[in-house]
């Protein structure tokens, strides 16, 4: 729990209090007489309950684990026709990434770093296969986002495990190896180049 002690010059307004939490959408600020209430919009879910609920998607995750064993993956199309080039389903990708990240975090909370590593390894593999191989140059910024989103959650969950001191030496070694294969700077640079070239071609 986070405890904040605020001493304002007067009674803070709802807008002023909202500015204290600009990135936390889970908090709701409500006036209450001469004071205000800060309410957690969604009650927290126990880690075990989340793992039990999300376990229904295990067959799909197993399919993904088998699929990423293949050397490369691409959306089949005639890439000379830029207007017809298919793009990944970003909404589905985001949901999958968040689900795997949440499961990894729940495993960390439950003291199961090996299981958490399994979810993060799948995230790492998905990131690698969304990089537009074999060329490795996504055509659009959306394509780059599809690659960077798993990497972002991957790094975030590693940080959680480090703060909670849950990771053990075997998991840390595996995570370090996976991190060493991530090159986000080149990905973004190549994407900016190809996005600009693509837009010029369309114009």
């Amino acid at each position: 729990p986070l405890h904040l002690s605020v001493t304002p010059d007067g009674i803070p307004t709802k807008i002023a209090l909202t500015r204290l939490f600009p990135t936390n959408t889970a908090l709701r600020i409500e006036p209450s007489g001469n004071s205000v209430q800060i309410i957690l919009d969604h009650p927290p879910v126990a880690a075990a309950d989340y793992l039990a609920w999300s376990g229904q998607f295990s067959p799909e995750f197993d399919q993904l684990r088998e699929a990423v064993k293949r050397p490369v993956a691409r959306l089949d199309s005639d890439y000379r026709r830029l207007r017809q080039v298919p793009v990944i389903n970003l909404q589905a990708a985001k949901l999958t990434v968040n689900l795997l990240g949440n499961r990894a975090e729940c495993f960390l909370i439950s003291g199961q770093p090996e299981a958490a590593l399994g979810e993060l390894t799948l995230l790492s593999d998905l990131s690698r296969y969304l990089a537009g191989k074999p060329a490795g140059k996504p055509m659009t910024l959306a394509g780059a986002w599809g690659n960077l989103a798993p990497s972002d959650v991957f790094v975030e969950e590693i940080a959680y495990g480090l703060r909670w001191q849950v990771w053990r030496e075997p998991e840390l070694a595996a995570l370090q190896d996976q991190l060493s294969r991530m090159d986000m700077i080149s990905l973004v640079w190549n994407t900016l180049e190809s996005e600009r070239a693509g837009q010029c071609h369309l114009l």
Side-chain angles (χ1 to χ4, degrees):
L2 181 65
H3 299 276
L4 299 176
S5 178
V6 181
T7 308
D9 295 330
I11 296 176
T13 64
K14 179 180 178 179
I15 294 176
L17 281 170
T18 303
R19 288 175 180 162
L20 290 174
F21 309 96
T23 60
N24 196 332
T25 57
L27 295 176
R28 188 171 77 251
I29 314 296
E30 291 186 354
S32 178
N34 290 331
S35 61
V36 294
Q37 289 183 328
I38 304 176
I39 303 167
L40 190 64
D41 248 356
H42 306 290
V45 177
D49 292 340
Y50 187 87
L51 289 172
W53 169 81
S54 59
Q56 64 183 302
F57 304 111
S58 293
E60 286 79 7
F61 291 147
D62 290 339
Q63 283 184 339
L64 287 175
R65 288 187 174 91
E66 286 300 313
V68 296
K69 292 178 182 179
R70 300 186 177 191
V72 292
R74 58 172 278 172
L75 295 172
D76 205 17
S77 177
D78 183 356
Y79 281 80
R80 294 170 297 182
R81 301 175 180 271
L82 289 184
R83 290 182 181 274
Q84 299 176 17
V85 170
V87 295
I88 64 170
N89 185 331
L90 293 180
Q91 184 177 8
K94 182 178 180 181
L95 289 171
T96 303
V97 165
N98 288 340
L99 187 57
L100 287 170
N102 288 338
R103 281 179 58 83
E105 190 169 331
C106 287
F107 280 126
L108 289 172
I109 292 172
S110 305
Q112 303 178 60
E114 188 174 353
L117 174 63
E119 306 301 275
L120 294 187
T121 298
L122 180 54
L123 268 181
S124 175
D125 289 338
L126 286 174
S127 174
R128 185 159 45 90
Y129 283 90
L130 289 171
K133 300 292 185 182
K137 293 185 177 182
M139 290 297 294
T140 63
L141 291 173
W145 183 92
N147 178 267
L148 292 173
S151 304
D152 184 39
V153 174
F154 179 82
V155 172
E156 185 178 316
E157 298 305 330
I158 291 176
Y160 283 147
L162 291 173
R163 281 202 301 273
W164 298 334
Q165 300 181 348
V166 180
W167 296 122
R168 301 168 304 189
E169 284 300 322
E171 290 89 27
L172 288 173
L175 292 170
Q176 183 175 3
D177 177 63
Q178 293 172 24
L179 281 171
S180 69
R181 287 181 266 141
M182 291 184 179
D183 184 7
M184 299 184 186
I185 295 176
S186 295
L187 173 68
V188 174
W189 178 259
N190 291 335
T191 298
L192 292 175
E193 286 186 326
S194 56
E195 176 81 13
R196 181 172 57 183
Q199 293 301 323
C200 289
H201 179 80
L202 289 174
L203 289 172

